Amino acid sequence: IAGITQAPTSQILAAGRRMTLRCTQDMRHNAMYWYRQDLGLGLRLIHYSNTAGTTGKGEVPDGYSVSRANTDDFPLTLASAVPSQTSVYFCASSPQGRGEQFFGPGTRLTVL
Amino acid sequence: TQLLEQSPQFLSIQEGENLTVYCNSSSVFSSLQWYRQEPGEGPVLLVTVVTGGEVKKLKRLTFQFGDARKDSSLHITAAQPGDTGLYLCAGAEGAGSYQLTFGKGTKLSVIP
């Protein structure tokens, strides 16, 4: 089934640990995104990539890093997790030149 | 930074009633999308509107883009419990823009 997969589905993490959230799409979309969704704050863009090999910072990039080695994969890394990074994380992708985004099922991350 | 204000934040109605959700901004968008998100899942694209004044219908849902492309509305006729969810509007800043500005959403509950 075409779409976006994210892993893990959920994770509980000790503060200070390193964590990588995985995102893979099979729609050959050029652009990919990482958002966090928090109650009362909505969806906030963390990082994005317009095409393989390029990345950019979104609204809330601090404490996160991304890479885009190929079209399909866009991992998000928390180098040293802090409790304020407790959130639901969504990966999304978008076809070139169009605004519509297609979202994965999300990763629920709890940092203790 | 462009902002999208959604109203109301919360809406609880009886099955069979009609409702309208609003999405407003002081900025012009090249296109605007509406998404629905159910608990534990990622947002799912419902519709994209591109032309000022455009009206699109999706079964019992009617979407309108304002003439000046600064606002949009979603009208649901004869709401059903299956319409329950978080409705998000999102705007693209320029033609071909890869990034979206999301509203914080309207949480709709349809009571049987």
Side-chain angles (χ1 to χ4, degrees), chain A residues 18-81:
Chain A
R18 180 183 180 90
M19 175 74 190
T20 295
L21 308 185
R22 300 185 299 278
C23 174
T24 299
Q25 55 112 352
D26 62 1
M27 298 176 284
R28 308 302 293 172
H29 287 171
N30 281 330
M32 296 187 74
Y33 313 83
W34 274 105
Y35 293 90
R36 58 179 290 174
Q37 188 174 38
D38 302 285
L39 201 62
L41 298 176
L43 279 164
R44 293 182 291 168
L45 182 65
I46 304 171
H47 284 287
Y48 65 93
S49 169
N50 287 342
T51 188
T54 68
T55 63
K57 294 181 179 180
E59 180 184 355
V60 288
D62 294 344
Y64 306 94
S65 63
V66 292
S67 61
R68 187 88 184 276
N70 57 61
T71 297
D72 299 342
D73 301 299
F74 192 43
L76 175 74
T77 297
L78 288 67
S80 179

Side-chain angles (χ1 to χ4, degrees), chain A residues 30-31 33 35 37 40-43 45 48 50 90 94-105, chain B residues 9 31 33 35 37 40-45 47-48 86 88 92 95-100 102-104:
Chain A
N30 281 330
Y33 313 83
Y35 293 90
Q37 188 174 38
L41 298 176
L43 279 164
L45 182 65
Y48 65 93
N50 287 342
F90 289 101
S94 177
Q96 182 178 9
R98 294 168 57 185
E100 300 103 324
Q101 294 185 9
F102 298 86
F103 286 80
Chain B
Q9 265 189 291
S31 68
Q33 290 86 45
Y35 295 80
Q37 184 178 19
E41 299 181 7
V44 175
L45 179 68
V47 77
T48 298
L86 179 69
L88 297 162
S97 172
Y98 287 96
Q99 294 186 44
L100 295 178
F102 279 87
K104 293 184 179 179

Side-chain angles (χ1 to χ4, degrees), chain B residues 20-42:
Chain B
T20 302
V21 174
Y22 299 93
C23 178
N24 295 295
S25 176
S26 58
S27 304
V28 175
F29 292 97
S30 64
S31 68
L32 196 137
Q33 290 86 45
W34 284 93
Y35 295 80
R36 180 168 68 207
Q37 184 178 19
E38 299 189 21
E41 299 181 7

